[in-house]
Amino acid sequence: GWTTVRLSANAGLEFHGAGGAQPDWGKIRGVTFALHDGGGKTVIFLDNIRFEDLRGVGSARNLMYNSSFEITTNPDTPDGWGRDFSEPPFGPDAWAIDAGQAFDGKKSLRIGAPGKFARYWIGHIKAAAGKEYTFSVYMKAAEGTKVLAQVNGLAKVKQTLDVGKEWGRYTMTGKASGGNVFPQITLVSGGPVWIDAAQLEPGAEAT
């Protein structure tokens, strides 16, 4: 299915100036798309490409697509997210969309087996080197549940969390290395754990 992708300046959208020109986002003359890390022949269709001027709108922008797990082109997997297919157990008890629990919208992601994880698309977000970004996510769980939350591509953003029985917001901040950024949440022990309303944004605080 069609996937809406938002790329912002220095977070997925890179400026390439001719002759060493300094970045001036007000003078864009063209846009180029390229495929990376292809393991064979791939066809991608692009449509409805546009630039948006966000001045006056505010700087808070969630860089993550389908961050509340509402879009499920494949019924058992939210668009934009991956999981572990290499090791059992499998099935809805281990990893599934839950339409009966939600903090935001009508669905959440449920992880029921320790060692299973939810990982955002690798390579979808590229952050500016040295700039601070904040990841936040709402979670709740059965009593005695531990979760490992990490953001690959941000320095020192990795925490083992005790998740409570009510929805709570968990946040972490770090500086980007300049490469790809992708959050990952792994159930360490206990469970199940429900995940919803994930957010990755520029800045040192969650908005």
Side-chain angles (χ1 to χ4, degrees):
W2 286 100
T3 297
T4 301
V5 176
R6 173 184 281 140
L7 305 175
S8 61
N10 297 318
L13 189 63
E14 297 181 357
F15 185 92
H16 294 272
Q22 295 301 307
D24 186 344
W25 293 96
K27 297 180 180 179
I28 297 293
R29 300 183 62 182
V31 59
T32 301
F33 294 87
L35 292 173
H36 294 278
D37 301 325
K41 293 185 177 180
T42 302
V43 177
I44 289 183
F45 298 90
L46 306 173
D47 197 12
N48 196 24
I49 301 169
R50 64 184 184 273
F51 286 96
E52 298 174 304
D53 187 348
L54 300 181
R55 288 176 297 185
V57 177
S59 60
R61 277 284 177 261
N62 190 358
L63 300 175
M64 301 176 67
Y65 167 71
N66 197 26
S67 59
S68 287
F69 311 104
E70 300 296 306
I71 304 171
T72 51
T73 302
N74 295 315
D76 63 343
T77 306
D79 293 19
W81 294 82
R83 55 180 166 170
D84 176 14
F85 285 108
S86 62
E87 296 289 339
F90 306 113
D93 288 340
W95 204 98
I97 293 295
D98 193 333
Q101 299 283 347
F103 176 83
D104 178 60
K106 298 180 180 179
K107 302 174 185 177
S108 66
L109 180 64
R110 178 186 181 277
I111 303 177
K116 292 295 182 181
F117 61 79
R119 182 170 61 198
Y120 190 67
W121 268 341
I122 297 174
H124 182 63
I125 299 172
K126 187 171 185 179
K131 187 174 182 179
E132 285 190 315
Y133 292 82
T134 296
F135 173 66
S136 61
V137 62
Y138 283 85
M139 294 187 288
K140 76 171 188 175
E143 190 171 355
T145 296
K146 291 186 180 295
V147 167
L148 176 64
Q150 62 194 90
V151 185
N152 301 286
L154 298 185
K156 299 180 181 179
V157 181
K158 186 175 184 180
Q159 297 180 20
T160 299
L161 306 168
D162 293 306
V163 179
K165 297 173 67 175
E166 303 295 331
W167 286 110
R169 195 182 198 189
Y170 302 82
T171 67
M172 51 195 72
T173 299
K175 291 185 178 181
S177 62
N180 295 324
V181 175
F182 51 99
Q184 178 174 319
I185 296 174
T186 305
L187 177 58
V188 175
S189 63
V193 61
W194 287 268
I195 305 166
D196 205 1
Q199 185 164 302
L200 180 68
E201 58 189 309
E205 295 182 358
T207 65

